Amino acid sequence: MLAAVIALVGSLFFALGAALQQFEAVGTAKPGLLALLRRPRWVFGGVSILAGGGLHIVALGLGPLTVVQPMGVASLLFALPIAATLHGRKPSRRELAAAGVVAAGLIGLVLLVPESDGPTYLGPDGVLTLLGVSGVAAVLLWAGSKAVSPAGRAALLATSSGVLYGATATLVRVLVDGTWNWWYLLALPIPALLALMMLQRAYAVGHFGVSFASLQIADPLTAVAFGALLLGEPLPTGIAPIAAAALTAAGTVALARTSPMEAHRDPA
């Protein structure tokens, strides 16, 4: 129970941070990190996200993954009302329902992923593959975002960010649980900073619900994929993960249709 409560509070902090950062980035033609760092609300959002991540780690130390991970998915349900309030509106029932479908699908996916019971090892070639594949995928998603609607652009840019965050999470696991190498540590900020930059571009488009949901989906799925391809971890089997993925995809499409585009705001 304590682990669940801490994880839930962590999700609230993460949602608040994401909503604040999107509020500062929305409508910005070039949402550069240096410009955003001069905005106190954006910085406070970053601190809130770090606090949420720290609480999630604490929760994982107190309870099983099957309890903590679903609480983490709740950040999507927290983030939409917070963001809507910042923009002076109320989230619609259809918007919240679509977010609920996404959250349900994500919970199913995270609970179906088998836990790894072996040591984590990734050689130098594997690290280069990790960075190369995630980098190419992120660039292709970024390029594709230029030819779609605003909602699609937000989704593709956030997915690009999620892929890079998933690569970052995989590298962190390698450093914490297995292989430790000083140049692995030096490589860590590269995908993390690129992911942050791409996410601000997604936020700047204006469809917060779409971008945040896409991030929530792409990050764990990328980490699971890299775990299977590079670390030899098992993948879920059967019809259940397919159904959960279909539910998540359907919710995201519905969210793209119901989530309004926030208007350009005065950065002052």
Side-chain angles (χ1 to χ4, degrees), residues 20-46:
L20 285 171
Q21 289 197 334
Q22 191 267 351
F23 183 72
E24 290 299 320
V26 66
T28 307
K30 293 183 178 180
L33 292 182
L34 292 179
L36 291 172
L37 281 170
R38 291 194 288 268
R39 301 184 179 183
R41 273 183 298 211
W42 189 90
V43 175
F44 181 76

Side-chain angles (χ1 to χ4, degrees), residues 64-85:
L65 194 67
T66 53
V67 171
V68 175
Q69 288 292 68
M71 297 299 104
V73 174
S75 59
L76 175 61
L77 300 178
F78 290 145
L80 287 180
I82 294 173
T85 301

Side-chain angles (χ1 to χ4, degrees), residues 130-151:
L130 173 75
L131 297 176
V133 170
S134 60
V136 170
V139 169
L140 290 176
L141 288 164
W142 167 75
S145 72
K146 296 180 176 296
V148 294
S149 66

Side-chain angles (χ1 to χ4, degrees), residues 77-244:
L77 300 178
F78 290 145
L80 287 180
I82 294 173
T85 301
L86 288 172
H87 289 282
R89 66 175 184 87
K90 293 182 179 180
S92 68
R93 292 182 180 179
R94 293 174 59 193
E95 190 179 358
L96 292 176
V101 172
V102 175
L106 274 175
I107 289 173
L109 286 173
V110 298
L111 292 181
L112 289 169
V113 176
E115 291 190 38
S116 176
D117 55 1
T120 303
Y121 173 77
L122 189 63
D125 290 344
V127 173
L128 292 176
T129 300
L130 173 75
L131 297 176
V133 170
S134 60
V136 170
V139 169
L140 290 176
L141 288 164
W142 167 75
S145 72
K146 296 180 176 296
V148 294
S149 66
R153 177 172 172 79
L156 290 179
L157 288 172
T159 301
S160 174
S161 175
V163 167
L164 292 167
Y165 273 132
T168 304
T170 304
L171 194 53
V172 168
R173 282 194 53 214
V174 170
L175 288 167
V176 172
D177 298 337
T179 311
W180 200 98
N181 192 304
W182 66 270
W183 74 267
Y184 289 13
L185 193 62
L186 292 178
L188 187 62
I190 298 174
L193 286 175
L194 290 175
L196 183 60
M197 292 169 60
M198 203 67 70
L199 184 59
Q200 303 314 307
R201 290 182 177 273
Y203 285 163
V205 176
H207 288 275
F208 176 66
V210 178
S211 57
F212 194 67
S214 299
L215 174 69
Q216 291 280 88
I217 295 167
D219 185 351
L221 290 186
T222 300
V224 168
F226 279 134
L229 293 173
L230 299 177
L231 304 178
E233 295 178 346
L235 285 173
T237 57
I239 193 66
I242 298 176

